[in-house]
């Protein structure tokens, strides 16, 4: 393990983007490696691009496999795994769990959208089984407990005495010579004392067989669990990957007692997809209620809210143009746009309503005056928000990959909405104002007819 891991470390250090490498062996068949990259200004590529470049180079090293993942500033749930995203299977039957987890892992490996598919299942350990011939042991006066005690004396580090000194004490441990413990053939050199005092070879009383054993069994919620983990291929969104994993699980037709669910970052992503539409709808309803109370109108809040779709379209177009997915961070940018963009329409509608009610202007003249007088404050506030988001969109410092989608969404949404809302908001305002007046006249018409009939 040490020799192979040093070979992998040399391969990693050969990459021009790598600054330092630190590695250690955690067990006889597992190790960890921490790779520090050079500053972004020197390496010119992202961490994901470095991983994609190292993956094929290190795959040719026989006997060992390196799984790479970028370090996350914030880890969300889930146990530590070799790759970034996790999907866990659980059931009460350990053999059934191992069977279906292997089936799912092999199926996921065939998907080109997923890379470095692996699991925390450790079933490659060797186990020596001692099958006692109870009849032969009984003839020699040897019980299974005698065999068990003899094996524990040889391999179990039994404490047989304690030596006491004036200021200290020492435990005396009995075991076989460590050199004899390195090979399973040592079982053939074990002798068991019978009741008659004779030393009987263990090989005459038992048969030795070898099989695979679990090096460890992970549990989750008191039940055995196997966690499959994977990375994404370049250009693949997490939403697409989770859909592929769910589809693969359905195609295998696992029994209902085998439960599967995402863990860690993938689980939070699935939950956010479920809650985001509700959150977005709740924010729209809240804005509508507040504006309705402010303007004492049911239609003019809709005029303001109709300025939001243009901002969303602009944000999505900007993300697509720069190759970013609609992630949780970019969705936060969309929510920020709701508060920034609607102020353009608020400035115009608020001024136009005040001019109609207090100055007696017509809707056309009121909204025209609002567009002319409010143009400069609208441009000032928009440019302040836009220029404040530019450093997020073009930043190249450490951690800029996390913030950049937010800045791009805000800048793109502001640019697109600013070009449209200055023209669409007056049109929508006039439409709803004429609709409101038409409805008002239509409601008064029946009352006027009824009054004419009474007078006749």
């Amino acid at each position: 393990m040490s020799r192979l891991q040093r070979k992998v470390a040399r391969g990693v250090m050969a990459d021009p983007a790598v600054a330092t490498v630190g590695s250690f062996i955690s067990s006889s068949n597992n190790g960890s490696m921490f790779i520090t990259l050079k500053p972004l200004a020197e390496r010119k590529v992202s961490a994901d691009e470095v991983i994609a470049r190292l993956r094929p180079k290190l795959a040719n090293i026989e006997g060992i496999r390196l799984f790479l993942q970028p370090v996350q500033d914030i880890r969300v749930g889930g146990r530590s795994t070799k790759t970034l995203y996790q999907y866990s299977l659980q059931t009460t039957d350990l053999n059934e769990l191992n069977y279906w987890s292997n089936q799912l892992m092999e199926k996921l490996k065939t998907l080109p959208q997923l890379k470095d598919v692996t699991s925390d299942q450790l079933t490659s350990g060797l186990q020596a089984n001692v099958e006692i011939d109870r009849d032969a042991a009984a003839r020699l006066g040897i019980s299974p407990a005698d065999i068990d005690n003899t094996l524990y004396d040889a391999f179990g580090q039994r404490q047989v005495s304690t030596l006491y000194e004036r200021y200290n004490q020492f435990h005396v441990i009995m075991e076989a010579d460590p050199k004899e413990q390195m090979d399973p053939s040592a079982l053939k050199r074990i002798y068991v004392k019978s009741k008659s005092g004779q030393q009987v070879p263990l090989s005459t009383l038992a048969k030795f067989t070898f099989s695979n054993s679990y090096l460890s069994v992970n549990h989750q919620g008191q039940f055995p669990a196997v966690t499959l983990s994977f990375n994404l291929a370049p250009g693949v969104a997490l939403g697409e990957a989770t859909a592929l994993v769910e589809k693969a699980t359905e195609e295998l037709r696992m029994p209902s007692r085998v439960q599967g669910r995402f863990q860690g970052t993938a689980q939070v992503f699935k939950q956010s997809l479920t809650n985001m539409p509700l959150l977005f709808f709740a924010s729209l309803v809240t804005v509508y209620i507040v504006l309705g109370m402010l303007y004492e109108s049911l239609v003019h809040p809709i005029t303001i809210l109709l300025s939001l779709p243009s901002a969303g379209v602009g944000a999505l177009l900007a993300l697509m143009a720069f190759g970013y997915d609609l992630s949780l961070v970019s969705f936060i940018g969309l929510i920020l746009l709701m508060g920034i963009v609607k102020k353009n329409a608020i400035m115009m509608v608020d001024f136009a309503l005040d001019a109609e009610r207090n100055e007696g202007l017509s809707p056309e003249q009121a909204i025209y005056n609002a567009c002319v007088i409010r143009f400069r404050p609208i441009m000032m506030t928009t440019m302040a928000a836009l220029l404040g988001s530019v450093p997020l969109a073009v930043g190249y410092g450490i951690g800029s990959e996390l913030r950049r989608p937010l800045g791009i969404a805000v800048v793109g949404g502001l640019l697109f909405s600013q070009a449209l809302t200055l023209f669409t908001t007056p049109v929508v305002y006039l439409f709803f104002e004429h609709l409101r007046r038409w409805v008002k006249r239509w409601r008064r018409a029946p009352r006027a007819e009824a009054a004419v009939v009474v007078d006749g």
Side-chain angles (χ1 to χ4, degrees):
M1 183 66 190
S2 176
R3 176 181 58 83
L4 290 173
Q5 191 158 328
R6 285 196 299 269
K7 190 174 182 180
V8 172
R10 288 194 296 270
V12 173
M13 281 298 300
D15 191 277
V18 175
T20 60
V21 175
S23 66
F24 64 90
I25 299 174
S26 54
S27 65
S28 60
N29 63 344
N30 275 291
S32 298
M33 182 174 293
F34 297 93
I35 304 171
T36 304
L37 300 180
K38 295 178 181 178
L40 187 60
E42 297 182 24
R43 66 177 191 264
K44 305 296 184 182
V45 293
S46 65
D48 291 330
E49 292 173 314
V50 175
I51 291 175
R53 188 167 62 193
L54 287 174
R55 187 181 290 121
K57 293 180 181 179
L58 302 177
N60 298 325
I61 302 178
E62 296 184 358
I64 192 170
R65 188 178 179 188
L66 179 65
F67 298 94
L68 296 164
Q69 60 172 301
V71 175
Q72 303 298 303
D73 294 332
I74 302 176
R75 292 190 61 88
V76 184
R79 61 177 60 92
S80 177
T81 52
K82 300 173 185 176
T83 44
L84 195 55
Y85 303 106
Q86 307 168 8
Y87 186 81
S88 293
L89 293 177
Q90 280 185 285
T91 187
T92 56
D93 189 337
L94 189 58
N95 293 327
E96 187 176 41
L97 176 65
N98 291 327
Y99 172 78
W100 286 111
S101 61
N102 284 326
Q103 293 293 315
L104 181 58
M105 184 171 65
E106 293 302 320
K107 191 170 184 63
L108 295 181
K109 286 182 178 179
T110 63
L111 301 177
Q113 295 87 347
L114 307 183
K115 298 294 183 181
D116 304 329
V117 179
T118 183
S119 75
D120 61 356
Q121 185 182 25
L122 300 175
T123 59
S124 58
L126 272 180
Q127 176 176 284
N129 305 305
V130 180
E131 300 178 2
I132 302 173
D133 185 348
R134 294 179 179 270
D135 294 335
R139 287 195 299 269
L140 296 172
I142 298 175
S143 66
D146 296 332
I147 298 176
D148 182 70
N149 287 328
T150 302
L151 291 173
Y152 188 74
D153 290 340
F155 305 108
Q157 297 184 339
R158 184 190 299 275
Q159 180 181 344
V160 295
S161 180
T162 302
L163 300 179
Y164 295 96
E165 293 186 354
R166 184 175 181 180
Y167 299 109
N168 209 343
Q169 61 183 12
F170 302 91
H171 301 294
V172 179
I173 304 299
M174 182 176 65
E175 63 177 353
D177 190 340
K179 297 180 180 179
E180 296 291 342
Q181 300 179 9
M182 301 302 294
D183 195 315
S185 61
L187 291 172
K188 298 179 180 179
R189 298 188 290 275
I190 298 294
Y191 288 80
V192 184
K193 186 176 181 180
S194 65
K195 292 184 177 180
S196 61
Q198 296 180 345
Q199 296 291 337
V200 180
L202 180 61
S203 57
T204 63
L205 305 174
K207 180 174 64 174
F208 309 129
T209 58
F210 303 95
S211 63
N212 285 339
S213 175
Y214 301 103
L215 294 178
S216 66
V217 178
N218 294 307
H219 287 74
Q220 187 169 299
Q222 300 181 348
F223 292 103
V226 172
T227 300
L228 307 178
S229 58
F230 56 90
N231 288 326
L232 304 181
V236 177
L238 180 56
E240 179 183 356
T242 54
L244 289 172
V245 173
E246 291 175 340
K247 181 180 179 182
T249 305
E250 293 175 0
E251 291 177 352
L252 286 177
R253 299 185 181 276
M254 298 184 198
S256 58
R257 55 184 173 272
V258 180
Q259 300 292 325
R261 60 179 61 89
F262 288 99
Q263 302 293 334
T265 306
Q267 181 189 22
V268 173
F269 176 79
K270 294 291 291 183
Q271 292 175 347
S272 66
L273 287 182
T274 304
N275 297 330
M276 277 184 182
L278 181 60
L279 175 63
F280 199 79
F281 178 75
S283 61
L284 289 177
V285 172
T286 303
V287 171
Y288 178 83
I289 293 174
V290 173
L291 293 176
M293 295 171 60
L294 177 64
Y295 298 131
E296 299 179 355
S297 173
L298 296 176
V299 294
H300 287 305
I302 301 177
T303 304
I304 297 172
L305 293 177
L306 286 178
S307 63
L308 300 180
S310 61
V313 171
L316 294 177
L317 290 177
L319 291 172
M320 292 173 59
F322 288 92
Y324 286 94
D325 301 319
L326 183 59
S327 61
L328 181 61
V329 175
S330 57
F331 199 89
I332 293 174
L334 293 178
I335 296 177
L336 289 176
L337 281 173
M338 292 179 58
I340 299 174
V341 171
K342 72 177 186 296
K343 55 85 184 171
N344 295 348
I346 289 176
M347 286 185 179
M348 289 188 284
V349 172
D350 183 71
F351 186 93
L353 287 177
D354 182 74
E356 281 189 53
R357 294 170 181 175
N358 299 326
E359 300 178 15
L361 297 180
S362 64
E364 291 79 4
Q365 188 63 38
I367 194 64
Y368 174 80
N369 291 345
C371 292
V372 173
I373 297 175
R374 292 295 190 181
F375 177 76
R376 186 173 66 176
I378 287 174
M379 292 300 298
M380 291 175 61
T381 54
T382 299
M383 294 305 296
L386 190 149
L387 295 176
S389 302
V390 167
L392 294 176
V394 300
Y396 285 94
I398 297 176
S400 61
E401 296 88 351
L402 177 65
R403 302 185 295 269
R404 194 173 298 142
L406 189 150
I408 290 175
V410 173
V411 172
L414 287 176
L415 287 174
F416 195 81
S417 64
Q418 187 70 15
L420 291 181
T421 55
L422 290 176
F423 302 97
T424 58
T425 300
V427 175
V428 176
Y429 175 84
L430 291 176
F431 171 78
F432 281 115
E433 184 65 20
H434 290 307
L435 178 63
R436 182 184 67 81
R437 295 191 175 192
W438 180 83
V439 172
K440 188 176 181 180
R441 289 195 302 268
W442 177 76
R443 288 182 176 179
R444 289 179 178 178
R447 298 179 183 177
E449 294 177 359
V452 170
V453 172
V454 171
D455 292 340

